[in-house]
Amino acid sequence: MAEHNDKKKRPDDSPLSRQVGAKAERKLEAQRQVNKTIWFGFGWFGLIGWSVAVPALLGIFLGLWLDDRYPGPHSWTLMLLIGGLMLGCWNAWRWVSNEDIRIHKKQDKHDD
């Protein structure tokens, strides 16, 4: 019975010590990944920007071609621009969401 109480009072079994240990481990991991500088972040912004811009530009070009070939009361260019923007925003959101999930899984792994 005395051993059971001693185990309960050990500081390395407390939730606080586990939390501090996990944070220290994450900090050490971040220090190991020095190659991820501010330029890495700017690269992600550029990648996300292009993932929105490319479908929008493709929509514009296809819309201009359709407006030239099949003129009508509604603008194909405007409709396909909006569709391209929606597709690009969905694609960027999916990439960011997947990256967030990956980061949280990595943190949860270190917390255990």
Side-chain angles (χ1 to χ4, degrees), residues 18-57:
R18 284 194 301 270
Q19 186 179 13
V20 169
K23 284 184 180 184
E25 194 172 322
R26 280 196 303 266
K27 184 176 180 180
L28 290 172
E29 173 93 15
Q31 288 175 349
R32 281 186 225 118
Q33 295 180 356
V34 178
N35 61 346
K36 291 186 179 180
T37 62
I38 193 161
W39 297 111
F40 181 79
F42 285 140
W44 267 101
F45 280 127
L47 182 65
I48 291 169
W50 278 109
S51 74
V52 174
V54 168
L57 291 173

Side-chain angles (χ1 to χ4, degrees), residues 1-14:
M1 183 82 171
E3 288 178 16
H4 187 323
N5 287 340
D6 289 343
K7 277 188 174 183
K8 250 186 170 178
K9 292 181 182 180
R10 288 181 45 190
D12 45 337
D13 285 340
S14 71

Side-chain angles (χ1 to χ4, degrees), residues 49-103:
W50 278 109
S51 74
V52 174
V54 168
L57 291 173
L58 290 174
I60 289 172
F61 290 128
L62 181 60
L64 288 172
W65 182 80
L66 286 171
D67 279 338
D68 189 44
R69 300 261 189 230
Y70 307 104
H74 302 290
S75 171
W76 284 103
T77 305
L78 185 58
M79 287 188 290
L80 291 175
L81 167 65
I82 292 170
L85 281 173
M86 289 172 56
L87 178 66
C89 288
W90 174 78
N91 191 28
W93 173 80
R94 188 175 51 96
W95 279 0
V96 170
S97 178
N98 286 342
E99 185 66 18
D100 185 51
I101 289 169
R102 188 186 66 79
I103 288 169

